[in-house]
Amino acid sequence: MRKLNVAMIGGGFMGKAHSLAYAGMPMFFSPAPAIPYRKTVVDINDELAKAAADRYGFESYSSDWRKVVEDPGVDVIDIVTPNNSHAEIAIAAAKAGKHIICEKPLARTGAEAKQMWDAVQQAGVKHMVAFNYRRTPAVALAKKYIEEGAIGKILNFRGTYLQDWSADPSSPLSWRFRKDVAGSGALGDTGTHVIDFARYLVGEISQVMGVLSHFITERPVQSGSVDKLGTVKAGADVRKEPVDTDDEMTTLLRFENGAVGSIEATRNAWGRNNYLTFEIHGEKGSICFNYERRDELQVCFSNDPDDRRGFRTIYTGPAHPYGDALWPIPALGIGYTETKIIEAHDFFSAIVNDTEVSPNFYDGYRISVISDAIIESAETDKWVKCL
Amino acid sequence: MRKLNVAMIGGGFMGKAHSLAYAGMPMFFSPAPAIPYRKTVVDINDELAKAAADRYGFESYSSDWRKVVEDPGVDVIDIVTPNNSHAEIAIAAAKAGKHIICEKPLARTGAEAKQMWDAVQQAGVKHMVAFNYRRTPAVALAKKYIEEGAIGKILNFRGTYLQDWSADPSSPLSWRFRKDVAGSGALGDTGTHVIDFARYLVGEISQVMGVLSHFITERPVQSGSVDKLGTVKAGADVRKEPVDTDDEMTTLLRFENGAVGSIEATRNAWGRNNYLTFEIHGEKGSICFNYERRDELQVCFSNDPDDRRGFRTIYTGPAHPYGDALWPIPALGIGYTETKIIEAHDFFSAIVNDTEVSPNFYDGYRISVISDAIIESAETDKWVKCL
Amino acid sequence: MRKLNVAMIGGGFMGKAHSLAYAGMPMFFSPAPAIPYRKTVVDINDELAKAAADRYGFESYSSDWRKVVEDPGVDVIDIVTPNNSHAEIAIAAAKAGKHIICEKPLARTGAEAKQMWDAVQQAGVKHMVAFNYRRTPAVALAKKYIEEGAIGKILNFRGTYLQDWSADPSSPLSWRFRKDVAGSGALGDTGTHVIDFARYLVGEISQVMGVLSHFITERPVQSGSVDKLGTVKAGADVRKEPVDTDDEMTTLLRFENGAVGSIEATRNAWGRNNYLTFEIHGEKGSICFNYERRDELQVCFSNDPDDRRGFRTIYTGPAHPYGDALWPIPALGIGYTETKIIEAHDFFSAIVNDTEVSPNFYDGYRISVISDAIIESAETDKWVKCL
Amino acid sequence: MRKLNVAMIGGGFMGKAHSLAYAGMPMFFSPAPAIPYRKTVVDINDELAKAAADRYGFESYSSDWRKVVEDPGVDVIDIVTPNNSHAEIAIAAAKAGKHIICEKPLARTGAEAKQMWDAVQQAGVKHMVAFNYRRTPAVALAKKYIEEGAIGKILNFRGTYLQDWSADPSSPLSWRFRKDVAGSGALGDTGTHVIDFARYLVGEISQVMGVLSHFITERPVQSGSVDKLGTVKAGADVRKEPVDTDDEMTTLLRFENGAVGSIEATRNAWGRNNYLTFEIHGEKGSICFNYERRDELQVCFSNDPDDRRGFRTIYTGPAHPYGDALWPIPALGIGYTETKIIEAHDFFSAIVNDTEVSPNFYDGYRISVISDAIIESAETDKWVKCL
C-alpha cells in the first residue's frame, strides 16, 4: 500500500486530532487509500517540536517550516497553525508541489484565500480545508437524503454554532481574539463551519445581511502557549489587552437557488458547548442535526401517512455513509476523532485516485468571501452580495 | 363574588378555548377574582350562534354583534373573530364602555391598531390582547428569572414559531391566507407571538431587518366555515385562488437596550407542530423554551460550579408562577387550556382590581408597528426603525 | 341533548379535575354524548361542600353522601374520595341504580374490589375506574398501532411511574401514606396506573415477582385538609406518625400471552415529576411513551428501510385518536384536563349508548388482585400467580 | 518513557478498538504512563494475522498464541477473542508472568472466571477486564458525585442495555448466539456491562431474581469470519442452526447495602442501538445516563431551591474526570475510541505504578458469579444469593 509522508506544521490541539486521524484511518478503512506516514512535525521551537513528535508519533521534528516544506521526502503538508500563517505556508507548499490540507478558516480574508486558491491551482496539487464537521456521518446522511430528493426543494436553512468557552470575561486572550492573527472571532472560528454546512447542503450563498456583536472588550493576556483553547482563570494582577474580534455573529442568508436562511454563531452562550446545529425545511420534508448529539439525524418525510408522520431519529451506523468503515453498531459512538479520520480518508483518497475532494481551497475561498461580506454588511447595515 | 357578564364575538376554535377558560378559571383560582359569566355568544348567523351557545354554555346568542356590544347587561366583550373585524368591534365596544379582550394579532396594521389603542384609552376600559403563550408557566418563570437578574444582562434572543399545517399545497385557503382578512400570513399568525415573547422577556424592539417568503401561491378554496384551522384535502375539481400572504418570515432584531436577536416563523416546516421556542443568552446564564414541551424550562446559571454546570430542566409546578392555582404536581400537564385559564384570570383580576394588564392594546399596537416594519424591511431590503 | 345529573362525592384536587371535565367535555366533543350536569357535590362537612359547589359550579351541595346516593334526581355517582370509602359508596350507589365512575385504585384490596364488581354487575349499571392516563391520545395511539399489528407480537413491556413529591422526609403524612386509608403506597397510588397500561396494551398479567421498599418510616402529621397532594414544610414542633405504606415498588411481570415485563413505581425519585413511561418491544417494532412529554409517542417500525429506520416522534393531533375533538393542531397542548375530558366522554357515551367502557370495575378488580399478588410476592420472595 | 510490548490475541472488531487505543493513548495523555507498543497480533491463521498486523500497525504477527504468550519480549497480553478461549489464554499468560487485559465477559461461568482470578493472583501480574463503558467520562462523573455524597444514600438502581442488531431473525448465527462459545446471550454480552455499572456505582450485589427469554430459536449460519458483529442478510438456501443463548435478560437486584434495582438487557429492541442506561435514585438526588448520548450526564440535587430544581444536563469536558486529557471543549465528542483510550491509560498506569486497577479479574469473576445466579434464578424462579 502506498505510503505518503506527512509533515504537520503546528503541534497544538488540532495537531493531536490530525495525528490521531493519521494513526487511526488505516485501522478503520480497510484497505486504506494510503498510509499517512507521520514523517515530520513542526512547531515554533525545537523543544515544542520534539515534544509534539514524541507525543504524536512523528519520525522527526523541526522548527523551520520552510525547510520542511521544501523537503523532497515530504508528500503532504498539513497546516494546523493559527490563521495568520495559513497563506504563507500553503503558498510555499503549493510551489513546492505538495498536497495540502489546511485547518479552517482557510484565511483571514477573501483576498488572502484567493492567493492560496490560485497557488494550488497553478501547482496542480490536491488541497482540502479541514471543515471536519461535514464529515460527521449524520451530516453526510443529510446530504444523501437531500441528493435523493427525499425532502424536495429546499426552502429554508437555519444554522447555529453556540459555545460558552469564552463567555467568562476572565478567560484569556488567546490568538483567537486577535484580528491580526485570527481574521475574525466567532464568525471565522465557528460561523464558518455553519457556512460550510449551508453551502454543502443547500447551495451557494449569494447575499448576506449580518450583525456582529462585541460583548467583552478586553481580556487577560494568556500565559504560556497561545494555541490551546483552555480557559485560564485570571489572577488579580493579570495584564489585560483589548479584544478586536466579534463575540457573536448573526446573519441572514440568500442562496443562489432561492432558499433563504440564517446563522447564529457565538462563544458566549452559557450552557452550549459545541452546539453546532442545522434545521432545513424542504417542500417534502425537514432535516435537523445537532453535533452535541452527533450520532443522530432527525428527518421528517411529508409522504409518511398522516397518523405516522414525525421526525425520525436515525442513529448512523453501517447502513449510512462511511458506516461500514466505522463501528459495527450505531451509537457505539462517533466522536471528534471519527470526523477527522473520515476527513483524512477522503483527502488521501483524492490524492491517490487523483480526484477532487471537497471542501477544498475553492470552498475555503468562497467561505472567506462570504465572511468578508458579512463583515461589510455588519458595518454598513446593508445586504451585501457575495456572488 | 362579583360576576361579570361576557359576550363572546365569534364561535370558532378560539371560542372553544375562551369558553373553557371562563368555565375553568374559577375552579383553578380560588377565590377567583371574578366569575366570568357566559352571557351571550355571537356568530355570523343565528344557527351558528345558537350552536355555539349550546356547545360553549352561553345563556343566549345573537347574530348582531353591534346590538350585543351596546347591551348594558354585558360587561366584557371577547373578540375571537378573524383579524379584519377586530378594530370595528373593539372600537364600538370601547365606546360602549366595555372591557375588551381581543384575539391576536390586534389588527392588520399599525394604523388600525393605533385607532383601537386610542379608543380604549379614551374610554378608560380594561383591554388585553390574547397572546396567551406568554401565560405558559414556564415562560412566566423565564420572566421571573430575568427580573431576578439570574442570567444577567441579555445579549441575544432567538425565537422561532414553526408549524407544518399549511405545508401541504392542498390544504385549503382559509382566511388566514388572505391579506385583506388576516393582514399578513405567518408573520401575523405566529410571528407575532414570538415578537410578544421578545418584548416581554428582553425589551422594546427598535429596528428590524426582515425577509418574507411566499412558497405556495394558490390554494383550493375551503368549503364550509372559514374560521377553522383544519386541513381539508382538496378534491380534483376544487377551485383555487391566490394566496397573498407570507408563508415564512425571518427577521433580525435590534432591541432598545442593545441586545440583538432573530425570529423565524413559518407554517411550512414539516414535522414541526407548535414549535414556539426561544433561546436567550445573558451575561450570566441562558434560558431556553419550547412550547412543544411546555411544562419545561431550560436554564443554565454561569455561577454554578464548573463540574456541575449545565442546563437545568425545570418542570413548572406549585413552586413556580401560577403554580399554586394549577396542578399539585409538576407535569400533570399544562395544555392550551391552562394558558387560556391563566389569561382569563389575569384579565378579570385587572378589571376587578382596576390595575393594568399586559399584553394590552398598547402592546398589540406596538407589535403591529413592528410587523409593519418587518414588511417594509422585506420590501426595501433595509433595516427599518420601529421606535 | 340528554342531560345526566352528576353527584360528585369528594371535593379535593381530583374534584377539580372531574368538574373541569364535566364543564369542558361538551365543548370539545360536538355533539356530546350527553351533558354531564353538575348537580350536587358532597364533602365531609357543609362548609367544605358549599365551597366546593361554589368553586366547581355545582347546583347544590351536601355533607351526607348516603342521602345523595339515594336521590332519584341523580343519575351518576362520581367517587373522588380517599380509597377507604370507595367500596361503601360504590356499593350503595350500585344498589340505588346509579352509574358510577370511581377514582383509582378501585379499592384497597382485591376482596374489597370484588364486592364492588359484584355490586355493579348485579345492579346492571355502568361503571368505570378513572385510570385517566390511558386516555392520553398518545397512549390511545400506541393501542391503535398495537391492534393494527404495527409492532408485531409483543415481547417485553417496561413501565415506570416516578415522582418526587414525597422524597422529602418533611413532606406531610397525608392519607396516601396510611395503609388503612390508601391500601398501599406507591404501588396503589402510581403503580396501578402502569399496571393499567400493561393490561391495556399487552394483555392480562398472570404472575408477578415484586419488591416493596420503605424508605421514610415516619412523617409529620399534615394539618388541615388531608385530601390534597401539596407538600407542607414541617415546623420544629410537628408531631410525627409512622408511615406503613411502601415508598417504592418494583416488580417483574409475566403476561398470559408469554410476554414479560417490569414495573418501577416510586415517589422518591428526585427530579422526576410525573414520569409515567412505558417502552414496549415487539417482533416488528417498538413503542415508547413518557407522560412528562405526553403530546408525543415514539415508535420504530422494523420494516422501514435500513437507512431510514429510527424512532419517529409522533405529536398527536387531529390524525390520531380523539384528535378531531381536541385541538386543531398537534402540540397546542394536551394536559391533565384533556385526559379527564376524554374520560368523561367515554363514560357518558357508554351510559347513553348502553355499551361497555374500559377500564371498568372488572379491570379495577383485576388490578387490585395483581396489587395483592405483588404485596404477597414481596412478603414471600416468591413469584405469585394472579390469574 | 517506558515502552511496554503488547501482544494482542484476536484481530476482529475489538482488535480495532484496542489498537486505536494503543496508538491514541499517548497522544491524549501527556505524559503517558507508558507507550503501549504494538508488538505482535495473533489470529487464527497467518493470513488473517498478517492482515491484522498491517491494518492495526503491529510490528509482527502470529497464528500461535501459545508461543506469543511465552515470548519474553512481550509484556502485556491483550485478549480480544471469543469468550470460550479467554480462560485458557489468560491462565497461560499469567503463568508466563504477563500483565493481562481481557475482553468482557471475563469467562463463560463463575467457575471458569475463578480459575483466571486465581491464576493472576498467584502470578502477581496486573489484570483488567475491558468493561470500557464505565470509562465514559460521564459515568466516571456519576461515580465522583456519588463518592462526594452529592445524591446521598442510594435507594434504587435501574439499568438497561438495549440493542436491535439481532432483532431480525435473518441476522446470522455468530458465536455470540452459541452457549459453548459465549456462555450466555444478551446476559453476558450486554447485561454484564450493566452489572459492572451497578457494582461500580452502587455496590456489591447480594441477590438476584432473573428472567431469561428466548425469542429467536434458530438462525442462518454466518459465512466467513465469525467474530464480527455485522448482520448478513440470509439467502433462501441458507442453513439454519439452533440458538441456545438468551435474547433478553431481565432481573431484579438486591445490593449488599440495602439498595434494590433492576436490569433489562436485550438485543431485540427495535430502534435501540447502544441504549446502555442507568438511573439512580438517592436520598438527596438522582443521576441518569444514556450511552447513546454519552457526552451528557443528568443529575438532580435535592438541595437546589424549589424554584430552580431539575435535572442538570452536564456535558463532560475539561472540568470532569479525564477531561484534561481529552478534548478542550465539551461535546467535541466522546466516542467508543475515547472509552478505550482511557481504559488503556488506566491499565498501563497500574502496571507502571504497581497499583490496582478496576474492573479487574476479581470484578470479572464476581460478575460471572452474578450471571450464573441470574441463570439459576431464571431456571428455578427463585431469588438466588450471589454473595
Side-chain angles (χ1 to χ4, degrees), chain D residues 149-293:
Chain D
I151 66 161
K153 183 187 160 191
I154 293 177
L155 306 174
N156 192 281
F157 169 93
R158 182 175 68 259
T160 74
Y161 200 150
L162 313 181
Q163 300 183 317
D164 69 3
W165 61 267
S166 70
D168 183 346
S170 68
S171 70
L173 185 80
S174 80
W175 64 263
R176 293 172 193 274
F177 297 95
R178 291 172 49 190
K179 190 173 182 179
D180 60 340
V181 184
S184 63
L187 166 57
D189 187 21
T190 60
T192 51
H193 277 294
V194 192
I195 297 171
D196 183 56
F197 278 179
R199 293 180 70 253
Y200 176 53
L201 297 169
V202 182
E204 191 55 271
I205 294 166
S206 56
Q207 286 185 59
V208 295
M209 175 69 243
V211 172
L212 298 178
S213 301
H214 302 77
F215 302 131
I216 297 172
T217 54
E218 60 174 18
R219 290 182 178 275
V221 177
Q222 188 179 29
S223 59
S225 172
V226 295
D227 55 359
K228 299 290 190 291
L229 280 168
T231 294
V232 177
K233 296 296 175 190
D237 58 346
V238 166
R239 187 169 50 89
K240 290 194 175 185
E241 286 191 2
V243 171
D244 58 359
T245 56
D246 54 289
D247 288 306
E248 179 184 276
M249 179 273 284
T250 311
T251 191
L252 299 177
L253 306 173
R254 286 189 175 124
F255 292 87
E256 204 178 7
N257 59 20
V260 299
S262 64
I263 296 176
E264 178 183 340
T266 179
R267 298 180 296 206
N268 288 59
W270 283 109
R272 297 305 185 192
N273 298 286
N274 211 40
Y275 192 80
L276 171 59
T277 75
F278 59 77
E279 174 160 347
I280 298 176
H281 304 141
E283 287 189 343
K284 294 162 66 180
S286 299
I287 301 181
C288 301
F289 172 76
N290 176 0
Y291 184 84
E292 291 194 350
R293 292 173 169 177

Side-chain angles (χ1 to χ4, degrees), chain B residues 327 332, chain C residues 8-19 21-22 77-87 89-90 100-108 112-113 116 127-133 161 175-176 182 188-190 192-193 227 229 336 339-341 343-344 347 359-361 363-365 367-368:
Chain B
W327 299 110
L332 281 187
Chain C
M8 183 169 80
I9 319 298
F13 141 60
M14 289 310 301
K16 174 163 87 178
H18 286 230
S19 302
Y22 297 141
I77 297 294
D78 178 1
I79 305 173
V80 291
T81 56
N83 307 348
N84 59 338
S85 55
H86 289 184
I89 299 171
I100 310 169
I101 178 166
C102 181
E103 264 303 318
K104 41 57 58 182
L106 184 60
R108 290 170 296 181
E112 203 174 46
M116 298 167 78
H127 43 98
M128 189 181 204
V129 187
F131 285 109
N132 60 304
Y133 290 123
Y161 199 151
W175 65 262
R176 292 172 194 273
D189 187 22
T190 60
T192 51
H193 277 295
D227 53 0
L229 279 169
Y336 198 75
T339 67
K340 283 294 184 183
I341 282 171
E343 181 176 271
F347 181 50
N360 58 22
F361 279 24
D363 299 292
Y365 157 61
I367 291 170
S368 289

Side-chain angles (χ1 to χ4, degrees), chain A residues 141 144-145 148 150 298-299 301 304-315 319-320, chain C residues 141 144-145 148 150 298-299 301 304-315 319-320:
Chain A
L141 180 60
K144 176 171 172 281
Y145 287 152
E148 290 172 1
Q298 303 262 342
V299 60
F301 301 116
D304 273 336
D306 279 357
D307 72 338
R308 298 178 183 209
R309 190 186 303 119
F311 276 100
R312 304 179 186 194
T313 301
I314 314 292
Y315 275 82
H320 306 107
Chain C
L141 180 61
K144 177 172 172 277
Y145 287 152
E148 290 172 0
Q298 303 262 344
V299 59
F301 300 116
D304 273 336
D306 278 358
D307 72 340
R308 297 175 186 212
R309 189 185 305 117
F311 276 99
R312 304 178 185 195
T313 302
I314 314 290
Y315 275 83
H320 307 106

Side-chain angles (χ1 to χ4, degrees), chain B residues 135-289:
Chain B
R135 250 83 200 170
T136 313
V139 178
L141 180 60
K143 176 72 169 174
K144 176 171 172 278
Y145 287 152
I146 290 169
E147 289 191 341
E148 290 172 0
I151 65 162
K153 184 187 161 192
I154 293 177
L155 305 173
N156 192 281
F157 169 93
R158 182 174 69 259
T160 73
Y161 199 151
L162 313 181
Q163 300 184 317
D164 70 2
W165 61 267
S166 70
D168 183 346
S170 68
S171 70
L173 184 79
S174 79
W175 64 263
R176 293 172 192 273
F177 297 95
R178 292 173 49 190
K179 191 174 183 178
D180 59 341
V181 185
S184 63
L187 165 56
D189 187 22
T190 60
T192 52
H193 277 294
V194 193
I195 297 171
D196 184 56
F197 277 178
R199 293 180 70 252
Y200 176 54
L201 297 170
V202 183
E204 192 55 89
I205 294 166
S206 56
Q207 287 185 60
V208 295
M209 174 69 242
V211 172
L212 297 179
S213 301
H214 302 78
F215 302 131
I216 297 172
T217 54
E218 60 174 18
R219 288 181 180 277
V221 178
Q222 189 178 29
S223 58
S225 171
V226 296
D227 53 0
K228 301 290 190 291
L229 280 168
T231 295
V232 178
K233 295 297 178 190
D237 58 348
V238 167
R239 188 168 50 90
K240 291 195 176 184
E241 287 191 2
V243 171
D244 58 0
T245 55
D246 54 289
D247 288 309
E248 180 185 275
M249 180 273 284
T250 310
T251 191
L252 299 176
L253 305 174
R254 285 187 177 127
F255 292 87
E256 204 179 8
N257 60 18
V260 299
S262 64
I263 296 177
E264 178 183 341
T266 180
R267 298 180 295 206
N268 288 58
W270 282 110
R272 297 305 187 192
N273 298 287
N274 211 41
Y275 192 79
L276 171 60
T277 75
F278 60 78
E279 175 160 346
I280 298 175
H281 305 140
E283 287 188 342
K284 294 162 64 180
S286 298
I287 301 181
C288 301
F289 172 75

Side-chain angles (χ1 to χ4, degrees), chain B residues 144-145 148 307-308 311, chain D residues 144-145 148 307-308 313:
Chain B
K144 176 171 172 278
Y145 287 152
E148 290 172 0
D307 72 339
R308 296 175 187 212
F311 276 99
Chain D
K144 176 171 172 279
Y145 287 152
E148 290 172 0
D307 71 339
R308 297 174 185 212
T313 302

Side-chain angles (χ1 to χ4, degrees), chain A residues 49-163:
Chain A
K50 181 177 187 314
D54 286 349
R55 182 168 180 183
Y56 301 134
F58 280 77
E59 183 188 292
S60 61
Y61 62 88
S62 168
S63 58
D64 184 348
W65 68 260
R66 289 174 196 281
K67 207 155 145 190
V68 168
V69 158
E70 301 291 339
D71 183 347
V74 166
D75 302 300
V76 169
I77 297 293
D78 178 1
I79 306 174
V80 290
T81 56
N83 307 348
N84 59 337
S85 54
H86 289 184
E88 191 177 11
I89 301 171
I91 291 166
K95 284 184 181 160
K98 311 303 187 195
H99 305 298
I100 311 170
I101 178 166
C102 182
E103 264 304 317
K104 43 58 55 183
L106 184 59
R108 289 170 297 180
T109 63
E112 202 174 51
K114 182 64 163 54
Q115 294 178 313
M116 298 167 78
W117 160 234
D118 287 345
V120 292
Q121 275 186 293
Q122 285 165 25
V125 296
K126 296 296 168 191
H127 44 97
M128 189 181 205
V129 188
F131 286 109
N132 60 304
Y133 290 124
R134 71 149 82 168
R135 251 82 200 170
T136 313
V139 177
L141 180 60
K143 176 72 169 174
K144 176 171 172 281
Y145 287 152
I146 290 168
E147 290 190 340
E148 290 172 1
I151 65 161
K153 184 187 162 193
I154 293 178
L155 306 174
N156 191 282
F157 169 92
R158 181 174 69 259
T160 74
Y161 200 150
L162 313 181
Q163 300 183 317

